[in-house]
Amino acid sequence: MENPMYQDLKGQTALVTGAGKKSGIGYAIAEKLAQSGANVVLADFIPSQEEKTPLLIAAGLKEMTALADSLAGQYGVRALFVEVDVTSTASVDQMAADVKAHFEQVQILCNNAGTVLGVPSAVHTYDENAWLKTIDVNLHGVYRVSKAIVPLMMDTGGAVINMASRAAKVPPLFNGAYAVAKAGVVMLTKVMARELAGSGIRVNSVCPGVIDTDFTRWRFGLEAQILNATEEARREEMVQTIPLGRLGASEEVANLVAFLASDQSSYMTGQAINVTGGQLMEL
Ligand code: NAI
């Protein structure tokens, strides 16, 4: 069924990074855009055995390709899965070449890929490789993918949406590299918004609070271990800090991304918009 709100997205092409997991925010975004009739490229990382971490448990190539195929079948759009490691320029450039070969142009770029390594750790004890890698995925990945894909957006104009976090604005404990990277994403968004305004490309970022995904379940598990509590107790404690009284759903982040991709947000650029159930309120 099409989403009648965003008819202008019909026939556009969207690339969403970190979209190969059905439970994740990236897939929810790809599905929401496909519902509005956009063609979608789902890009994601397939870690080698050595690269696997508790958070990098994405499905394999077969499952990710099946996700793209199911979106194509369900919504009557073109959908493609492309493997990418956003920390590798060669891999990102290969992804851009594949996207160009299939779709020629792109109108919507959603930089959603993200991860956390080396936590929990205070800055003064943080493992250097984990610190650098966390910033590489979350911040430099956005730069690399934008550098490769924005040229494909120049002829038509469009929208870039970067996934930041509440952690970009409120310092989390013992998760410094991620917070610094996401704060960088907010500023990178503003820089790109100014640079690309004259080319008809709007650039905004999204700052989710606590969204119910693998990422969050992993975090609660970790915190429960440290605090000698149960995962359920950690979740309950978190819920108490959220005025709307529950965690967010991936689809609720996807709703905001679709709005920012569409002409319905035509006078918005350079913003960092909270989707936190009221956990973060700013003037
Ligand atoms: P997730 O862990 O389920 O998904 C992240 C995706 O990024 C995965 O598919 C993973 O394979 C991909 N990825 C990781 N490293 C990559 C690399 N080197 N190259 C390409 N792809 C890579 O997490 P979730 O929750 O869906 O998060 C999506 C985005 O939302 C992330 O940027 C995260 O930081 C952000 N976010 C999530 C929040 C939450 O509560 N779940 C809160 C605030 C922000």
Side-chain angles (χ1 to χ4, degrees):
M1 195 174 55
E2 280 181 21
N3 178 345
M5 270 180 81
Y6 303 121
Q7 287 292 341
D8 60 300
L9 300 186
K10 194 168 184 158
Q12 295 196 355
T13 296
L15 167 67
V16 186
T17 65
K21 259 204 270 184
K22 194 156 189 183
S23 60
I25 293 172
Y27 177 77
I29 291 167
E31 180 166 34
K32 187 62 65 178
L33 297 173
Q35 276 174 5
S36 287
N39 300 316
V40 284
V41 181
L42 285 67
D44 212 330
F45 181 49
I46 303 180
S48 65
Q49 209 50 41
E50 308 81 69
E51 287 167 322
K52 279 192 177 156
T53 71
L55 249 189
L56 290 177
I57 47 168
L61 180 62
K62 210 170 132 199
E63 290 92 336
M64 294 197 195
T65 304
L67 280 184
D69 291 347
S70 82
L71 287 183
Q74 235 179 312
Y75 302 108
V77 297
R78 293 171 66 201
L80 177 73
F81 173 75
V82 181
E83 186 175 351
V84 71
D85 176 357
V86 300
T87 66
S88 156
T89 303
S91 170
V92 168
D93 288 349
Q94 184 57 55
M95 172 186 73
D98 289 348
V99 171
K100 189 170 192 296
H102 279 85
F103 295 100
E104 193 63 31
Q105 291 171 334
V106 170
Q107 285 76 37
I108 302 160
L109 166 61
C110 181
N111 281 302
N112 167 77
T115 200
V116 175
L117 295 153
V119 295
S121 194
V123 172
H124 64 279
T125 59
Y126 214 113
D127 176 78
E128 184 174 344
N129 287 334
W131 178 277
L132 294 176
K133 186 78 179 181
T134 301
I135 295 184
D136 204 13
V137 175
N138 291 286
L139 175 57
H140 299 145
V142 177
Y143 151 73
R144 282 189 197 92
V145 174
S146 300
K147 185 174 177 185
I149 298 297
V150 166
L152 306 183
M153 303 176 73
M154 283 298 194
D155 284 349
T156 61
V160 178
I161 301 103
N162 295 326
M163 199 55 63
S165 169
R166 172 177 178 269
K169 300 179 176 181
V170 182
L173 268 182
F174 308 125
N175 191 8
Y178 179 76
V180 168
K182 292 298 193 183
V185 169
V186 169
M187 182 50 79
L188 178 58
T189 299
K190 293 174 199 275
V191 168
M192 289 174 64
R194 291 200 70 187
E195 292 175 353
L196 295 171
S199 306
I201 300 175
R202 295 179 299 105
V203 189
N204 289 288
S205 61
V206 169
C207 299
V210 192
I211 310 300
D212 202 352
T213 67
D214 285 350
F215 194 90
T216 295
R217 286 184 280 276
W218 166 80
R219 170 188 167 180
F220 286 151
L222 196 71
E223 289 172 355
Q225 271 176 26
I226 297 163
L227 299 168
N228 205 14
T230 64
E231 210 175 304
E232 202 37 56
R234 271 309 293 151
R235 175 183 281 257
E236 217 15 73
E237 224 177 321
M238 182 58 78
V239 165
Q240 297 302 323
T241 68
I242 303 171
L244 288 184
R246 60 176 177 84
L247 305 189
S250 291
E251 199 194 347
E252 294 175 302
V253 180
N255 285 337
L256 174 57
V257 172
F259 169 72
L260 291 171
S262 88
D263 284 345
Q264 297 294 314
S265 60
S266 53
Y267 201 50
M268 294 176 69
T269 198
Q271 304 305 302
I273 302 166
N274 304 326
V275 49
T276 66
Q279 197 188 28
L280 178 55
M281 298 188 188
E282 296 173 305
L283 278 182

